Amino acid sequence: MTMITLALSKGRIFDETMPLLAAAGIEVLEDPETSRKLILPTNQPSVRVVMVRATDVPTYVQYGGADLGVTGKDTLIEHGGQGLFRPLDLNIAKCRVSVAVRSDFDYAHAVTQGSRLKVATKYTLIARDFFASKGVHVDLIKLYGSMELAPLTGMADAIVDLVSTGNTLKANHLVEVERIMDISSHLVVNQAALKLKQAPLRHIIDAFASAIRQD
């Protein structure tokens, strides 16, 4: 029996991938929010799901820890996408990467005056490319969470982060000043696995593609 391993992360990506898996006849048998297991069984003995951090999904797929995975465009850009086949934009877990600042910070003035901005983010490649394209000099501060604290404590002038509803920004007196890019989640496949396990992987890819078209 050829085992297919799918890498997913908890939260929106997991929840919004479930209908796509159902279209392929696959049902995850345990809830990752309540189960302590990191490898979850499905109703198909030849398919299992590994639960990993969102930022680690491309790495697991690249190095063969998983045959395929679902990951955000933001994570893919930061990872670089080496060794990955990207057959589908799944149009799920949609959000955006944006620049946000304290509501009392004059971002437009700072940018036009050629000031050197301190920017906190975990998306350093995206942020560097964006500000370089605008000719804005930045000092990037790498953070892994609670981005909103950086401007509030004076550690940074701005943040580059994922924004969905904007409610977290508002609750922390921050405002979104520039939208860098729209984000959705993509299906990524290990290139070697695609050759060795072509039939079962193609079945899943085709089922996902069909489900997306019907939406």
Side-chain angles (χ1 to χ4, degrees), residues 3 9 59 66 72-73 98 104 107 117-118 121 129 151 155 162 203:
M3 177 62 73
S9 54
T59 304
K73 180 182 174 183
S98 293
D104 61 353
Y107 175 77
L117 292 178
K118 289 184 292 182
T121 185
D129 288 349
M155 187 171 79
L162 291 183
H203 166 70

Side-chain angles (χ1 to χ4, degrees), residues 11-57:
R12 278 184 72 192
I13 287 180
F14 181 90
D15 295 341
E16 295 182 28
T17 301
M18 290 305 99
L20 300 177
L21 283 175
I26 300 167
E27 179 186 348
V28 181
L29 298 179
E30 296 189 31
D31 182 351
E33 297 296 338
T34 55
S35 175
R36 298 183 71 86
K37 294 179 184 175
L38 296 177
I39 301 177
L40 304 181
T42 74
N43 63 333
Q44 304 286 344
S46 60
V47 180
R48 63 183 182 174
V49 171
V50 293
M51 301 303 303
V52 302
R53 287 178 66 99
T55 50
D56 290 337
V57 169

